[in-house]
Amino acid sequence: MKIPFLDLSRMDQALQSALKDKFAKVLEEGRFSFGEEVLTFEKRVGDRLKSPHAISCANGTDALELALRALTIGPGDEVIVPAMTWVSTAEVVLMVGAKPIFWDTDGWGLLRADWEKAITSKTKAVIPVHLYGKMVPMAKLMAKAKKANIAVIEDAAQAFGAFQDGKATGTWGDVGCLSFYPTKNLGALGEAGMCLTNLKDLAEQIRLLSNHGQLQRDEHTLVGRNSRIDTLQAAFMNVLLERFDEFQGKRKKLAEIYWEELAEIKELTLPPKAEDSNLHLFVIQTEKRDLLKEFLQSNGVGTAIHYPTIVPDIPVYQQEGDFSNARKLSQNGLSLPLNPWLEEKEVMEVCGLVREFFE
Ligand SMILES: Cc1ncc(COP(=O)(O)O)c(C=O)c1O
């Protein structure tokens, strides 16, 4: 592939060296679980996002599951989930024995504003997903959830670093869940995740659940599991976090090229520019999605589809309902390459090919 969708082996030399140095340091110290690097990572993320409790864990899916368990959501309970998301959001609801109730999204994959119509006497929580990096309008959602007395778990896996009304993604709800999967905006060199919360008791519960129910070694106060972050991943994250703003800046610059160069194509809908958005995925929409994908592929350009099937259409999650916006996005959405390792001239080349396709 001439212009890959994402090739992490393109990381610049300075970053590679800093990561190698960090690896050497951790190896020398010989500490691979807990330790200073983990504490530093949690403190840095907590400070940056103004979250009093930042609890690292093994991955973003676990973060969601830990949040549900800490909120004692389980059999007999319902949780409202957008129809368009990565499966984890619904998967964890089933994993704790509760039932996901799917609701349609708007045209860009954010939970449709009338989601409260899905509330029943069994509803315990709603999980807004800040899809592609764009935030769900949180003040309105929080007001509705409060009125209905249900919990809010933000799935902020794709939106690290986005703010709305001065408040970071993941810090609005009862719990905010982050993923540091390698392809994310802030990605580890492996798996990692985090729960954010303003609530001390909930934070304690999440910490216990993620470490066999123990705060002190061999004192098990509840039945938990192991979902600890690797010290090595926390150490790498401490390096990567330092470059986060720079990488967002680069993504922004590249996205501006797409917005400018593709603006005139009538058969193409570009993602809205939004203040409360980070730049994670640049998803365009066209009815000729599959043909365009094929055309770009045959010209050496990698693209991706996030996601080709809405969750309630996947047989193991099957559910009936009006999911027309989400389904349309799954049929028409195409993610163009957007990452800090791309050159501006490569993005110009992608734009040229997209224009050529529509001409
Ligand atoms: C919206 C969403 N939720 C949850 C997850 C789960 O995160 P992880 O892959 O770290 O388990 C992801 C990322 O894969 C995601 O994109």
Side-chain angles (χ1 to χ4, degrees):
M1 198 59 67
K2 204 169 48 174
I3 304 176
F5 179 68
L6 174 65
D7 178 0
L8 291 170
S9 71
R10 284 184 172 203
M11 271 182 208
D12 63 54
Q13 280 308 316
L15 184 58
Q16 291 196 22
S17 303
L19 291 166
K20 283 177 190 165
D21 288 351
K22 193 58 119 171
F23 175 72
K25 177 178 169 282
V26 174
L27 195 60
E28 207 168 288
E29 284 169 4
R31 174 135 209 194
F32 305 109
S33 189
F34 290 118
E36 276 306 312
E37 294 286 357
V38 175
L39 294 174
T40 303
F41 176 48
E42 291 182 346
K43 167 120 183 51
R44 282 191 188 162
V45 175
D47 286 352
R48 185 187 176 99
L49 305 184
K50 298 193 183 66
S51 176
H53 307 284
I55 308 127
S56 55
C57 63
N59 55 66
T61 308
D62 277 8
L64 288 163
E65 189 180 327
L66 290 165
L68 287 165
R69 289 195 189 280
L71 288 160
T72 65
I73 291 168
D77 297 335
E78 292 179 355
V79 178
I80 300 168
V81 173
M84 170 56 107
T85 179
W86 172 241
V87 286
S88 297
T89 322
E91 186 178 44
V92 290
V93 177
L94 287 160
M95 289 303 283
V96 303
K99 184 178 178 189
I101 301 295
F102 293 104
W103 199 251
D104 201 11
T105 63
D106 65 13
W108 290 102
L110 303 186
L111 193 63
R112 210 174 62 197
D114 62 352
W115 63 271
E116 75 274 15
K117 289 183 187 155
I119 295 174
T120 70
S121 59
K122 294 180 180 170
T123 309
K124 288 285 153 54
V126 56
I127 311 186
V129 179
H130 305 304
L131 202 70
Y132 309 151
K134 169 128 179 46
M135 284 181 77
V136 171
M138 285 308 291
K140 279 191 192 136
L141 184 137
M142 292 305 296
K144 285 181 188 175
K146 194 170 175 204
K147 195 167 156 218
N149 195 26
I150 61 173
V152 176
I153 299 170
E154 286 178 80
D155 183 338
Q158 299 189 5
F160 182 88
F163 281 77
Q164 197 172 72
D165 304 333
K167 242 172 121 164
T169 179
T171 64
W172 287 77
D174 295 82
V175 187
C177 301
L178 304 175
S179 162
F180 305 114
Y181 185 71
T183 62
K184 298 288 191 256
N185 266 352
L186 180 63
L189 306 190
E191 309 282 344
M194 187 174 272
C195 288
L196 305 172
T197 181
N198 298 321
L199 307 166
K200 189 165 170 279
D201 291 353
L202 215 45
E204 232 160 65
Q205 209 55 16
I206 291 168
R207 244 185 229 292
L208 281 170
L209 285 166
S210 66
N211 186 28
H212 305 296
Q214 55 178 6
L215 274 185
Q216 302 281 351
R217 204 189 150 96
D218 297 328
E219 278 179 30
H220 307 274
T221 54
L222 55 79
V223 178
R225 51 179 295 200
N226 175 5
S227 181
R228 298 184 294 251
I229 193 172
D230 285 348
T231 304
L232 203 46
Q233 291 307 333
F236 290 146
M237 295 302 295
N238 286 328
V239 172
L240 291 155
L241 203 49
E242 278 177 30
R243 302 272 308 264
F244 177 76
D245 291 327
E246 179 198 332
F247 293 156
Q248 265 300 302
K250 178 78 186 285
R251 283 170 184 267
K252 193 159 183 215
K253 214 169 186 179
L254 299 178
E256 289 294 346
I257 298 178
Y258 282 133
W259 272 310
E260 200 174 311
E261 296 291 319
L262 304 178
E264 303 298 319
I265 305 173
K266 295 218 165 37
E267 289 173 86
L268 205 60
T269 311
L270 301 181
K273 284 190 188 185
E275 282 285 306
D276 56 356
S277 182
N278 67 21
L279 284 152
H280 176 45
L281 295 173
F282 197 89
V283 179
I284 58 172
Q285 294 189 54
T286 166
E287 285 179 5
K288 295 185 177 150
R289 191 267 310 272
D290 293 337
L291 288 173
L292 175 60
K293 183 171 180 32
E294 232 174 84
F295 176 79
L296 290 173
Q297 172 98 10
S298 65
N299 282 284
V301 174
T303 57
I305 297 174
H306 298 93
Y307 299 93
T309 312
I310 60 167
V311 189
D313 283 351
I314 299 172
V316 289
Y317 294 93
Q318 207 281 328
Q319 204 172 96
E320 296 298 324
D322 166 22
F323 308 124
S324 44
N325 290 334
R327 207 172 272 127
K328 189 169 168 217
L329 180 56
S330 77
Q331 286 158 357
N332 294 352
L334 184 69
S335 306
L336 297 180
L338 182 74
N339 60 76
W341 318 117
L342 284 172
E343 309 259 345
E344 289 179 32
K345 65 175 191 301
E346 290 180 303
V347 172
M348 287 297 285
E349 200 178 325
V350 177
C351 293
L353 285 165
V354 174
R355 277 199 307 266
E356 191 184 320
F357 173 81
F358 284 104
E359 276 159 15

